[in-house]
Amino acid sequence: MVGVGRKRPNPNWQLPSAGILARSPTSGRLPKNNGVPWRGNSGLSDGSDAKDVKGGLVGGYYDAGDNIKFHFPMAFSMTLLSWSVIEYSAKYKAVGEYDHARELIKWGTDYLLQTFNSSASTIDKIYAQVGTAKINGSRPDDHYCWNRPEDMAYPRPTIAVSSAPDLGGEIAAALAAASIVFRDNAAYSKKLSQGAATVFKFARQMGHRTPYSLRQPDIEYYYNSTSFWDEYMWSAAWMYYATGNTSYISFATDPRLPKNAKAFFNILDFSVFSWDNKLPGAQLLLSRLRMFLNPGYPYEESLIGYHNATSLNMCMYFPRFRSFNFTKGGMALFNHGKGQPLQYVVANSFLASLYADYMEAVNVPGWYCGPNFMTTNDLRDFAKSQLNYILGDNPRKMSYVVGFGKKYPRHLHHRGASTPHNGVKYSCTGGYKWRDTKKADPNLLTGAMVGGPDKDDKFKDSRNTYGQNEPTLVGNAGLVAALVAITNSGKGAGVTAVDKNTMFSAVPPMFPAAPPPPSSWKP
């Protein structure tokens, strides 16, 4: 792998045909084209305790190997998928996954529209979660029980919050991004953008700006939000692209916002794109505006700051600059050796590939990391090296995507994959026999990326090592985005790389055209 003493990635990198866009985490009444024979309808009583939600909270996606629906990472997953479809629609079409990707996004956004009163212009609460789990609990819940989603027979309470600047902002971003994906369906696109405006307004409400997870023990341990200023920046950018309303871009470029978000403080962990930290994604999304439209005053000061921050974030990806540690096998340790490392690897590989394509689209060959000039190919090589690692170019010669290659995880921390599809309904604890068996999973969770190896490239294929062997919705959304960004499949099918125009179709013609950049361009 480039920069870590391993072979260079194949320059003709093609999208693996591993069924990456699987439907296995789908909740609710499954569509006819579900395509996963061992799954069935589940969670049909979800939200029955939410009396103000017509039809309850049926649908959406389970988060990981358990059966909880966490709306914060679910919304981020939909935003990420939508961004990849907006930028790389030609590639999705070339590999025959465009319609499928849109179906998956719509399944998620249909559900997110149920989590608040999306037909209203003002709301005072939003549903944050369905299902709960106590740490080391002894009563039936989504962790204590080992059940297929179809067999759940324990309480699945909903959690509503009246303050959610972070969750509200992420749901607004998801709906706004999806409204661009579905511009060919005017009615649905309008429904999405109107819902996004409502929940964005809720997220910004004065007096209701404490994080959605604060003092929520059923949320805090799993998906604690550490800030909401990044979601403000992220969602405002998406709202602007979706609606063309200049109030959103004025807010996104108000100098007070990056100050509150600490966007220009050069904090290492703030350079890592994830379900909790949207800053790198927001900065790249706003850099896009500067690179392609060059709006100038009064936006330029903040936009050039975002652009500089994006360039610095990209510098941190390279081992030679020693910002992050890498395993001996070449995996970037963006979360410092903690569990689920691969979801951070793929999300940031997506940004690296996307920034390279943005630069190429405006005829810029690279950028400077201090005195070092880095090229767009350097960025792509980094992303390819990380994806190659995931797909088998690692010390264990193991693919961390189920069903891809000859050697991949067979004992996932996943209730549905581990329990036979045999018509037997197992009790809460009756499913332990399948959790604890040494036998391989009877159901192949094709396309699922697991958490990944540790800081020493070691990996234990066991259901008990959930930090390594549990697939997540966020992880797979990032994997799909990174794979479609880096593949050569579909090049020449209408665009060279990114689709420069789709994102700007709602943007008013208020900006002058960008001047041609110099050959050795510094933002």
Side-chain angles (χ1 to χ4, degrees):
M1 296 184 185
V2 175
V4 286
R6 296 179 68 82
K7 64 183 182 181
R8 292 182 63 86
N10 183 347
N12 299 312
W13 212 92
Q14 298 295 310
L15 193 67
S17 56
I20 299 297
L21 293 176
R23 284 188 179 272
S24 57
T26 307
S27 179
R29 195 173 297 279
L30 299 185
K32 292 180 180 178
N33 62 341
N34 169 55
V36 183
W38 46 271
R39 281 300 318 279
N41 299 332
S42 64
L44 300 183
S45 298
D46 282 357
S48 57
D49 57 340
K51 302 302 182 184
D52 58 328
V53 180
K54 186 179 180 181
L57 289 166
V58 176
Y61 293 102
Y62 300 116
D63 177 63
D66 53 33
N67 301 328
I68 301 177
K69 294 190 294 197
F70 292 102
H71 301 167
F72 192 42
M74 187 193 304
F76 175 66
S77 299
M78 296 306 105
T79 314
L80 198 51
L81 280 180
S82 290
W83 196 3
S84 72
V85 170
I86 292 165
E87 303 285 16
Y88 298 112
S89 59
K91 290 186 177 184
Y92 273 107
K93 289 173 182 176
V95 297
E97 292 284 6
Y98 178 70
D99 291 337
H100 188 191
R102 281 165 47 108
E103 288 172 6
L104 296 178
I105 293 167
K106 189 173 186 299
W107 189 271
T109 53
D110 281 352
Y111 177 77
L112 292 174
L113 287 169
Q114 298 172 223
T115 63
F116 64 100
N117 186 355
S118 57
S119 62
S121 60
T122 302
I123 58 174
D124 59 6
K125 71 174 182 179
I126 192 167
Y127 286 96
Q129 185 170 316
V130 177
T132 58
K134 301 297 182 186
I135 306 302
N136 299 319
S138 58
R139 294 183 179 181
D141 65 17
D142 281 279
H143 275 193
Y144 182 76
C145 298
W146 193 269
N147 286 139
R148 311 178 187 94
E150 294 82 359
D151 295 342
M152 294 182 294
Y154 44 82
R156 283 172 56 78
T158 59
I159 298 176
V161 291
S162 58
S163 176
D166 32 28
L167 173 62
E170 187 54 63
I171 292 179
L175 298 179
S179 77
I180 301 173
V181 172
F182 291 101
R183 285 242 169 92
D184 58 343
N185 182 340
Y188 189 60
S189 181
K190 183 178 180 181
K191 184 178 182 180
L192 290 168
S193 60
Q194 288 179 342
T198 295
V199 76
F200 182 87
K201 179 181 176 182
F202 167 73
R204 292 277 296 131
Q205 188 176 359
M206 290 296 292
H208 297 269
R209 293 187 181 176
T210 54
Y212 90 110
S213 53
L214 188 67
R215 293 184 290 276
Q216 294 281 356
D218 290 314
I219 300 174
E220 234 171 355
Y221 181 81
Y222 303 101
Y223 285 103
N224 182 51
S225 175
T226 54
S227 173
F228 56 83
W229 296 105
D230 55 324
E231 277 85 20
Y232 277 178
M233 190 187 300
W234 173 244
S235 58
W238 278 114
M239 291 299 297
Y240 176 64
Y241 283 124
T243 68
N245 186 325
T246 54
S247 68
Y248 294 117
I249 195 62
S250 294
F251 173 59
T253 55
D254 185 315
R256 291 171 293 183
L257 181 54
K259 182 179 180 180
N260 287 337
K262 301 179 180 178
F264 306 146
F265 284 30
N266 296 333
I267 298 172
L268 180 63
D269 286 347
F270 282 10
S271 70
V272 180
F273 190 39
S274 72
W275 59 266
D276 182 39
N277 179 39
K278 318 300 165 43
L279 270 180
Q283 290 163 346
L284 179 56
L285 196 58
L286 289 162
S287 298
R288 189 191 206 283
L289 182 62
R290 180 174 186 257
M291 295 173 75
F292 292 161
L293 290 189
N294 190 31
Y297 181 84
Y299 310 105
E300 174 68 5
E301 184 177 353
S302 287
L303 291 181
I304 196 170
Y306 294 142
H307 201 166
N308 282 328
T310 292
S311 296
L312 183 60
N313 290 341
M314 299 295 159
C315 295
M316 293 180 182
Y317 289 155
F318 298 109
R320 65 189 288 186
F321 300 124
R322 300 183 182 277
S323 295
F324 292 96
N325 291 327
F326 282 67
T327 67
K328 289 183 180 179
M331 179 180 68
L333 294 171
F334 289 126
N335 68 333
H336 310 296
K338 298 176 184 176
Q340 292 286 336
L342 294 184
Q343 64 173 257
Y344 299 89
V345 166
V346 291
N348 290 277
S349 294
F350 171 64
L351 292 194
S353 302
L354 193 54
Y355 191 47
D357 286 338
Y358 285 174
M359 285 191 283
E360 188 173 87
V362 293
N363 299 314
V364 170
W367 81 109
Y368 283 94
C369 294
N372 304 282
F373 186 75
M374 309 300 292
T375 70
T376 55
N377 283 336
D378 291 329
L379 265 184
R380 291 195 183 96
D381 284 349
F382 160 76
K384 290 174 184 177
S385 74
Q386 297 303 296
L387 292 169
N388 285 339
Y389 180 100
I390 292 169
L391 296 174
D393 185 16
N394 55 64
R396 294 182 61 86
K397 302 301 178 187
M398 180 177 193
S399 165
Y400 293 108
V401 177
V402 176
F404 182 79
K406 295 180 179 179
K407 183 181 179 183
Y408 50 82
R410 304 279 183 164
H411 305 84
L412 272 61
H413 184 90
H414 190 277
R415 287 154 177 76
S418 63
T419 308
H421 184 60
N422 57 8
V424 178
K425 184 173 182 177
Y426 297 97
S427 68
C428 171
T429 56
Y432 287 3
K433 62 185 292 186
W434 304 116
R435 180 194 65 185
D436 299 335
T437 182
K438 302 299 182 184
K439 294 181 180 179
D441 294 332
N443 305 313
L444 201 64
L445 198 62
T446 305
M449 182 183 74
V450 297
D454 66 15
K455 61 184 177 61
D456 298 313
D457 297 304
K458 294 178 181 178
F459 179 81
K460 188 175 182 180
D461 186 8
S462 166
R463 294 185 190 93
N464 293 323
T465 54
Y466 54 84
Q468 293 192 340
N469 221 19
E470 184 174 19
T472 64
L473 184 64
V474 163
N476 261 64
L479 175 65
V480 170
L483 286 173
V484 78
I486 207 64
T487 183
N488 287 327
S489 303
K491 276 207 169 186
V495 291
T496 303
V498 295
D499 188 336
K500 290 191 287 184
N501 298 317
T502 300
M503 190 84 86
F504 295 122
S505 57
V507 174
M510 59 176 289
F511 298 140
S519 57
S520 58
W521 170 74
K522 269 189 178 181

